[in-house]
């Protein structure tokens, strides 16, 4: 049985033909390359053992083309000035040491706490809980630029800036999270008593949307990591 690898996310498919679409990153069949026998045995990741419907075969020479392209990229990098080489090295280290999945745990862990504080402040009419929620939102907003930048580096370097529906949704979710967090922070700074006003539920809704968007981004990130 042949094994095909998605060059975008690394998903492994087993069958006579590549799948019509990658179940992980939604890349088309043209983004799959045929693995050689020894490569297939050593390839990590989840394997789909369903052969699926016949489809136009991907040229096995794609593997060589990718290697040639990588060599050209490395050659260009060698010719860069020292500063750019240092920056490129730092970005490679960010990717190597998984800065994005590590950094994203900080805002994702604090976000639910912030929303819970705001909800509790609304229910129990306690300003101290609202203040606690505000400071948690500050922590999230401070952490988000690093998370987004690390995610951008990983997307460009590891996934070749693939603009499939999968990545579009993930990018939109990250943008909504950041925007909702910024709106919540600025609103509370301008009106600390917002949870006592007629706009209290709108404020809570914005924070709930922020939490939901962060959950979507985290779920999609998990699919990339675990290929599940």
């Amino acid at each position: 049985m042949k094994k095909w690898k998605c060059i975008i996310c690394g998903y492994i498919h087993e069958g006579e033909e590549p799948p019509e679409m990658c179940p992980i990153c939604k890349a088309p069949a043209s983004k799959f390359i045929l693995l050689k026998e020894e490569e297939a045995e050593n390839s990590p990741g989840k394997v789909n053992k369903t052969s699926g419907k016949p489809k136009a075969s991907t040229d096995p020479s794609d593997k060589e083309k990718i290697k040639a392209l990588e060599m050209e990229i490395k050659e260009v990098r060698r010719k860069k000035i020292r500063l750019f080489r240092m920056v490129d090295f730092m970005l490679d280290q960010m990717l190597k040491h998984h800065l994005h999945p590590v950094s994203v745990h900080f805002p994702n862990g604090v976000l639910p706490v912030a929303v819970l504080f705001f909800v509790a402040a609304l229910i129990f009419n306690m300003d101290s809980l609202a203040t606690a929620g505000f400071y948690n939102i500050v922590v999230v907003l401070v952490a988000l630029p690093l998370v987004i930048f690390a995610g951008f580096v990983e997307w460009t370097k590891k996934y070749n800036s693939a603009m499939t529906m999968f990545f579009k949704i993930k990018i939109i979710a990250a943008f909504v999270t950041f925007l909702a967090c910024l709106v919540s922070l600025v609103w509370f700074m301008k009106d600390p008593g917002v949870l006592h006003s007629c706009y209290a539920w709108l404020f809570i809704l914005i924070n709930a949307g922020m939490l939901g968007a962060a959950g979507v981004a985290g779920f999609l990130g998990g699919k990339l990591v675990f290929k599940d």
Side-chain angles (χ1 to χ4, degrees):
M1 189 73 71
K2 297 178 181 177
K3 289 188 178 181
W4 306 82
K5 181 178 180 179
C6 174
I7 62 174
I8 301 301
C9 70
Y11 174 77
I12 305 298
H13 172 83
E14 186 173 307
E16 290 302 317
E17 303 291 340
E20 295 182 1
M21 179 181 293
C22 176
I24 302 300
C25 68
K26 311 305 179 187
S30 61
K31 297 298 182 181
F32 279 80
I33 57 174
L34 179 63
L35 297 179
K36 296 179 181 178
E37 186 175 348
E38 60 273 14
E39 293 174 330
E41 292 176 356
N42 297 325
S43 294
K46 188 174 180 180
V47 177
N48 182 358
K49 296 184 178 180
T50 303
S51 61
K53 296 180 180 179
K55 191 174 178 63
S57 176
T58 302
D59 188 353
S61 64
D62 283 348
K63 186 78 172 178
E64 285 68 28
K65 292 178 182 178
I66 292 172
K67 288 182 178 179
L69 181 59
E70 289 176 347
M71 292 299 295
E72 289 179 12
I73 294 173
K74 288 180 180 179
E75 185 63 27
V76 170
R77 287 176 177 173
R78 291 192 190 102
K79 296 179 180 179
K80 289 180 180 178
I81 62 175
R82 183 179 181 85
L83 176 61
F84 287 135
R85 288 204 303 269
M86 290 176 62
V87 171
D88 203 45
F89 172 78
M90 292 174 62
L91 296 180
D92 286 338
Q93 292 304 304
M94 289 173 58
L95 184 62
K96 179 181 178 180
H97 297 290
H98 314 291
L99 181 61
H100 179 62
V102 170
S103 62
V104 79
H105 281 75
F106 292 97
N108 281 359
V110 176
L111 264 175
V113 178
V115 176
L116 284 175
F117 272 133
F118 284 138
V119 172
L122 179 64
I123 294 174
F124 299 108
N125 195 26
M126 295 178 62
D127 290 336
S128 58
L129 293 176
T131 302
F134 166 75
Y135 284 119
N136 276 272
I137 288 294
V138 171
V139 172
V140 172
L141 192 61
V142 169
L144 278 179
L146 174 62
V147 173
I148 292 173
F149 177 68
F152 175 78
V153 171
E154 184 166 315
W155 174 57
T156 54
K157 284 185 166 287
K158 187 174 181 179
Y159 301 109
N160 303 313
S161 302
M163 192 52 75
T164 63
M165 185 56 66
F166 180 94
F167 288 104
K168 288 179 181 178
I169 294 174
K170 197 172 188 303
I171 291 170
I172 291 172
F175 176 76
V176 170
T177 301
F178 180 79
L179 182 62
C181 183
L182 184 62
V183 169
S184 177
L185 180 69
V186 173
W187 192 348
F188 192 89
M189 289 178 65
K190 288 184 172 293
D191 183 12
V194 61
L195 291 171
H196 302 302
S197 69
C198 59
Y199 298 107
W201 285 105
L202 178 58
F203 182 79
I204 294 295
L205 184 62
I206 290 174
N207 282 272
M210 172 179 61
L211 184 59
V216 170
F219 172 75
L220 296 178
K223 287 180 70 68
L224 284 176
V225 171
F226 299 108
K227 305 292 188 294
D228 194 1

